[in-house]
Amino acid sequence: MDVAANPDAAPAFDLNDQASYDFFTEERLRFADVDRNGHINNVSFMVFIENARVTYITERLRRIQDAGLRFVIAHLDIDYRRQLHYPGVVRAACRLVEVRRSAFVLAHAVFDQQGLCAATGHAIGVCFDPETNKGRPIPEDVKAELSRHLPGGGAR
Amino acid sequence: MDVAANPDAAPAFDLNDQASYDFFTEERLRFADVDRNGHINNVSFMVFIENARVTYITERLRRIQDAGLRFVIAHLDIDYRRQLHYPGVVRAACRLVEVRRSAFVLAHAVFDQQGLCAATGHAIGVCFDPETNKGRPIPEDVKAELSRHLPGGGAR
Amino acid sequence: MDVAANPDAAPAFDLNDQASYDFFTEERLRFADVDRNGHINNVSFMVFIENARVTYITERLRRIQDAGLRFVIAHLDIDYRRQLHYPGVVRAACRLVEVRRSAFVLAHAVFDQQGLCAATGHAIGVCFDPETNKGRPIPEDVKAELSRHLPGGGAR
Amino acid sequence: MDVAANPDAAPAFDLNDQASYDFFTEERLRFADVDRNGHINNVSFMVFIENARVTYITERLRRIQDAGLRFVIAHLDIDYRRQLHYPGVVRAACRLVEVRRSAFVLAHAVFDQQGLCAATGHAIGVCFDPETNKGRPIPEDVKAELSRHLPGGGAR
């Protein structure tokens, strides 16, 4: 399929927009998240995002482990857009945005107490064969099922 | 006052009973709280308790800082009663249980997803004079106001 | 044996004295250990102590797991004596100080960059039977071997 | 200056090579860094990198704060290359690799107990005016001084 010829097939995904995501975890800020600068530490954002990712993969992308695939997180990136301040409850968002030959890409975001985007980013999970420790292609049927979770993919 | 002669003045305080507490924080378990043993790490219990304590002191015992008193946490103890397992939401409880000459004692507990007591303990805050770094007595009027938060003390 | 009649058998153990301990871990302070108050957070002390405890049990009290005993930490207490400030390297100390019927007691301390005692405390491990989840007595031969690590017990 | 015409001015910077860096912190792994999967958690890598970054900026890039510039970390990325296992001591590396109009880019890496590269990445600090909260250009003299820390820049 030629994406360029059919823009509807790959709808624009705005990382900053809550409406882009279909999965969220509530993250209650803790005093332990506050650093010397008096705001929520950069690393705590990664903790929120990790929690959303682990929960999302467990609840939505079960097909990966049901297929006996093992994966590691090979890449993370994050762009900080707003500070977060204690106390409060924020939301971490996660969504599958790409399925590659032997990897999958998740989009991430953190939204603050007012619903404003505080951070966005990506995580890449790479499937590997535990015996050889080499990358392992994702079978086509698993790919097809995972793809339903892509933006515009039809999954709940 | 002779406590022994007036048991009503010092009602039995059951650290394990949710009904003993008048302040709770909801603590959402995070993947980062899980340790190598697959359960919520011992230290995370202290993080939950710290969060409840900081919030309780800020919201209920404001009189301490309004009086210009500075304090440090000088002692913590905890008894673990049940394991906690990810994911879920637990409650951390806090209550003032004693006001001393220059210190105050808080009772603490953590209740699991089923409301069962997972841990209990105490924290002792000691007021000090930042100039001399020595203990500083809590003024009688502050003591009186704090005492309203003791079990049976009449505060909300 | 009557301890009272033979004080040499239970030498005074000064929790505050580095010389009381025979096991230490170096703990490099991290920016993530610093809290809103600009000093090393209370909970990080517990992290240092946990690290010393896990390492001590693995390296010195192997007899516990070699005997197939399973245990949980049932109690922790800590008395804070000095603040710690970032950056720097501190030492966490651990020593077995008591062996009970189905439990063992560890003494703990943290020493700051100048070797001054910043905190002391205890941890109690309780052995249990994983099948019944009930306390399980420590066999006499294991007790005897562990006791060599007590102050005055003769172990390295 | 035309970088393409003068490759020596921008020497190849290999993020994976310890020799590329001129600043390291030793990071002692803690039991608290281990996650459910039995290895050092992804987020702990960020904690090590943060510690190296804070120390590097304080010790080497003091000119930034001496000039009254305030900055925030606006971006982080990390590529994981090897797992880390407890216990042990690893090294976190940091080096200034680019100075932009109002931002600076740091390269990061983590090297394991054998000196093998476990992770690489970047952090971008953006200078801003605290009054307007807008980006603030780095003065030319500060840029010049910072540039001495670039690979090939001549600073120690």
Side-chain angles (χ1 to χ4, degrees):
Chain A
M1 187 180 66
D2 184 351
V3 170
N6 182 6
D8 293 337
F13 187 85
D14 180 356
L15 283 165
N16 295 273
D17 184 359
Q18 280 209 56
S20 299
Y21 300 91
D22 60 349
F23 188 86
F24 300 89
T25 52
E26 266 189 34
E27 303 290 333
R28 296 204 163 246
L29 304 180
R30 302 174 181 172
F31 181 74
D33 295 320
V34 183
D35 69 14
R36 189 173 65 182
N37 300 317
H39 60 190
I40 300 300
N41 184 260
N42 284 338
V43 173
S44 287
F45 283 67
M46 308 303 275
V47 170
F48 307 152
I49 280 175
E50 173 189 61
N51 194 43
R53 181 172 64 245
V54 170
T55 313
Y56 179 73
I57 292 175
T58 305
E59 296 190 7
R60 298 284 172 90
L61 307 187
R62 261 189 311 269
R63 191 70 180 88
I64 295 173
Q65 60 197 62
D66 287 352
L69 288 169
R70 291 189 52 188
F71 66 91
V72 289
I73 296 302
H75 170 89
L76 289 174
D77 62 67
I78 185 166
D79 288 287
Y80 296 98
R81 303 185 184 286
R82 288 177 165 271
Q83 297 181 68
L84 292 177
H85 290 95
Y86 176 82
V89 184
V90 301
R91 305 182 89 194
C94 191
R95 180 159 209 172
L96 183 72
V97 290
E98 193 184 340
V99 182
R100 298 180 181 168
R101 185 171 173 279
S102 60
F104 55 93
V105 183
L106 303 169
H108 277 307
V110 177
F111 296 96
D112 73 8
Q113 294 97 325
Q114 282 75 45
L116 299 171
C117 185
T120 58
H122 302 87
I124 302 181
V126 173
C127 296
F128 66 101
D129 182 324
E131 304 221 346
T132 64
N133 234 6
K134 292 191 178 164
R136 179 174 157 181
I138 303 174
E140 289 305 319
D141 61 321
V142 178
K143 268 187 170 169
E145 204 163 326
L146 292 178
S147 297
R148 296 176 52 241
H149 294 278
L150 294 172
R156 175 180 61 105
Chain B
M1 188 181 63
D2 183 351
V3 169
N6 182 4
D8 293 339
F13 186 86
D14 181 356
L15 283 165
N16 295 273
D17 185 359
Q18 280 210 56
S20 299
Y21 299 91
D22 60 349
F23 189 87
F24 300 88
T25 52
E26 265 189 35
E27 304 290 333
R28 294 203 165 248
L29 304 180
R30 301 173 181 172
F31 181 74
D33 295 321
V34 182
D35 69 15
R36 190 173 64 183
N37 300 316
H39 61 191
I40 299 299
N41 184 259
N42 285 338
V43 173
S44 288
F45 284 67
M46 307 303 275
V47 170
F48 307 151
I49 281 175
E50 174 190 61
N51 195 43
R53 180 172 65 245
V54 169
T55 314
Y56 180 73
I57 292 175
T58 304
E59 296 190 7
R60 297 287 172 89
L61 307 187
R62 263 189 309 269
R63 191 69 180 88
I64 294 173
Q65 60 196 61
D66 287 352
L69 287 169
R70 292 190 51 187
F71 66 91
V72 289
I73 296 302
H75 170 89
L76 290 174
D77 62 69
I78 185 165
D79 288 287
Y80 295 99
R81 303 185 185 287
R82 288 177 166 272
Q83 297 180 68
L84 293 177
H85 289 95
Y86 176 82
V89 184
V90 302
R91 305 182 89 193
C94 191
R95 179 157 210 172
L96 184 72
V97 290
E98 193 184 339
V99 182
R100 298 181 181 168
R101 187 173 172 278
S102 60
F104 55 94
V105 183
L106 303 169
H108 277 306
V110 177
F111 297 96
D112 74 8
Q113 293 97 323
Q114 282 74 46
L116 299 171
C117 185
T120 58
H122 301 88
I124 302 181
V126 173
C127 296
F128 67 101
D129 182 325
E131 304 222 343
T132 64
N133 234 5
K134 290 189 178 166
R136 178 172 157 181
I138 303 173
E140 288 305 318
D141 60 321
V142 178
K143 267 186 171 170
E145 205 164 324
L146 292 178
S147 297
R148 295 176 52 241
H149 293 278
L150 294 172
R156 175 179 63 105
Chain C
M1 188 181 64
D2 183 350
V3 170
N6 182 6
D8 293 339
F13 186 85
D14 181 356
L15 283 165
N16 295 274
D17 185 359
Q18 279 210 56
S20 299
Y21 300 90
D22 60 350
F23 188 86
F24 299 88
T25 52
E26 266 190 34
E27 303 290 333
R28 295 204 164 246
L29 304 179
R30 302 173 181 172
F31 181 74
D33 295 320
V34 182
D35 70 14
R36 190 173 65 184
N37 300 316
H39 60 190
I40 300 300
N41 185 258
N42 285 338
V43 173
S44 287
F45 284 66
M46 308 302 274
V47 170
F48 307 150
I49 281 175
E50 174 190 60
N51 195 42
R53 180 172 66 245
V54 170
T55 313
Y56 179 73
I57 292 174
T58 304
E59 296 190 7
R60 298 286 172 88
L61 307 186
R62 263 189 309 268
R63 190 70 180 88
I64 294 173
Q65 60 196 62
D66 287 352
L69 288 168
R70 291 190 50 187
F71 67 91
V72 288
I73 297 301
H75 170 89
L76 290 174
D77 63 68
I78 186 166
D79 288 287
Y80 295 98
R81 303 184 184 287
R82 289 178 165 272
Q83 298 181 66
L84 292 177
H85 289 96
Y86 176 83
V89 183
V90 302
R91 304 182 89 194
C94 191
R95 179 157 209 174
L96 184 71
V97 290
E98 193 184 340
V99 182
R100 298 181 181 168
R101 187 173 172 279
S102 60
F104 55 93
V105 183
L106 302 169
H108 276 306
V110 177
F111 297 95
D112 72 9
Q113 293 97 323
Q114 282 74 46
L116 299 171
C117 185
T120 58
H122 302 87
I124 301 181
V126 174
C127 296
F128 67 101
D129 183 324
E131 304 223 343
T132 63
N133 235 4
K134 290 191 179 166
R136 178 172 160 182
I138 302 174
E140 288 305 318
D141 61 321
V142 178
K143 268 186 170 169
E145 205 164 325
L146 292 179
S147 297
R148 295 177 51 242
H149 293 278
L150 294 172
R156 176 179 60 103
Chain D
M1 189 180 68
D2 184 350
V3 170
N6 181 7
D8 293 339
F13 186 85
D14 181 356
L15 283 165
N16 295 273
D17 185 358
Q18 279 209 56
S20 300
Y21 300 91
D22 60 349
F23 189 86
F24 300 89
T25 52
E26 265 189 35
E27 303 290 333
R28 294 203 164 247
L29 303 180
R30 302 173 180 172
F31 181 73
D33 295 320
V34 183
D35 69 14
R36 190 172 65 184
N37 299 318
H39 60 190
I40 300 299
N41 185 260
N42 285 338
V43 173
S44 288
F45 284 66
M46 308 303 273
V47 169
F48 307 151
I49 281 175
E50 174 190 61
N51 195 43
R53 181 172 64 244
V54 170
T55 313
Y56 179 73
I57 293 175
T58 305
E59 296 190 7
R60 298 285 172 89
L61 308 186
R62 261 189 310 268
R63 191 71 180 88
I64 295 173
Q65 60 196 63
D66 288 353
L69 288 169
R70 292 191 51 189
F71 66 92
V72 289
I73 297 301
H75 171 88
L76 289 174
D77 62 69
I78 185 166
D79 288 287
Y80 296 98
R81 304 186 183 285
R82 289 178 165 271
Q83 297 182 65
L84 293 177
H85 289 96
Y86 176 82
V89 184
V90 301
R91 304 181 89 194
C94 191
R95 180 159 209 172
L96 184 70
V97 290
E98 192 184 340
V99 182
R100 297 181 182 169
R101 186 171 172 278
S102 59
F104 55 94
V105 183
L106 303 169
H108 278 306
V110 177
F111 297 95
D112 74 8
Q113 293 97 325
Q114 282 74 46
L116 299 171
C117 184
T120 58
H122 302 87
I124 302 181
V126 173
C127 296
F128 66 100
D129 182 324
E131 303 222 345
T132 64
N133 234 5
K134 291 191 179 166
R136 179 174 158 180
I138 303 174
E140 289 304 319
D141 60 323
V142 177
K143 267 186 171 171
E145 204 163 328
L146 292 178
S147 297
R148 295 177 52 241
H149 293 278
L150 294 173
R156 175 180 60 104

